[in-house]
Amino acid sequence: MERVKKLARILKSPYYQSRLLRHRVAAGLEHSQVLSGLDCRTVVDIGANRGQFALVARQCQRQARVISFEPLPAAAAKFRAVFAGDDRVALHEVAIGPVPANATLHVSRRDDSSSLLPITATQVALFPGTAEAAPAVVRVAPLREFVSAEDIQPPAFLKLDVQGYELEALRGCEEMLGQ
């Protein structure tokens, strides 16, 4: 029933509707209440996947610049298609972490459940369809390698959705958290 309600809300908005029909990406409307109550100039979106959160961020924070990070090539390609021509959205095809390195990303059958941490039997039991499909080597680096302090105009909002890797991603943002 929740999925039907979400679809109905998406179809009421020409902005969301066009992205869904053209690119098969549904906006993460569950974030709209929080984002609507803010006044941000910058949104940093770590774990962007296909742009579900960024779509809502662009609608709720129309003046904000959205700086997104997604290491999966297929998800990043979809993200780029969704935001083609939108000069207020930037995507970096990388994972954020404390030190520059190449790391194994455990790609889930549902790509939005992929993680730099191993996918466990418990996850697969609780969330069917999230078993590992294949590993992929991705670049990991601190946030400062892609954005400067001047790029993050306050007030800023940081969103992390990295399937259990949040603490390490935060360590990769440490120098920029004051922004």
Side-chain angles (χ1 to χ4, degrees), residues 31-90:
H31 305 291
S32 62
Q33 187 173 8
V34 170
L35 286 168
S36 293
L38 302 174
D39 181 21
C40 297
R41 292 183 60 202
T42 309
V43 174
V44 178
D45 174 15
I46 298 174
N49 195 250
R50 295 178 302 274
Q52 302 93 312
F53 177 83
L55 279 168
V56 176
R58 283 295 291 128
Q59 278 300 96
C60 294
Q61 300 295 314
R62 292 179 190 227
Q63 299 305 311
R65 177 146 166 75
V66 178
I67 306 168
S68 298
F69 298 85
E70 174 54 50
L72 280 173
K78 181 69 79 166
F79 184 105
R80 284 189 177 92
V82 168
F83 291 99
D86 188 337
D87 64 353
R88 304 220 38 92
V89 177

Side-chain angles (χ1 to χ4, degrees), residues 9-27:
R9 285 183 61 204
I10 287 170
L11 293 176
K12 286 181 184 176
S13 164
Y15 180 78
Y16 295 145
Q17 182 184 57
S18 68
R19 273 46 179 203
L20 177 62
L21 297 176
R22 201 172 339 148
H23 303 291
R24 300 190 66 187
V25 174

Side-chain angles (χ1 to χ4, degrees), residues 3 12 41 51 77 88 92 115 138 146-148 163-165 172:
R3 294 180 95 181
K12 286 181 184 176
R41 292 183 60 202
R88 304 220 38 92
H92 299 274
S115 178
V138 298
F146 308 99
V147 296
S148 68
Q163 305 304 315
Y165 197 73

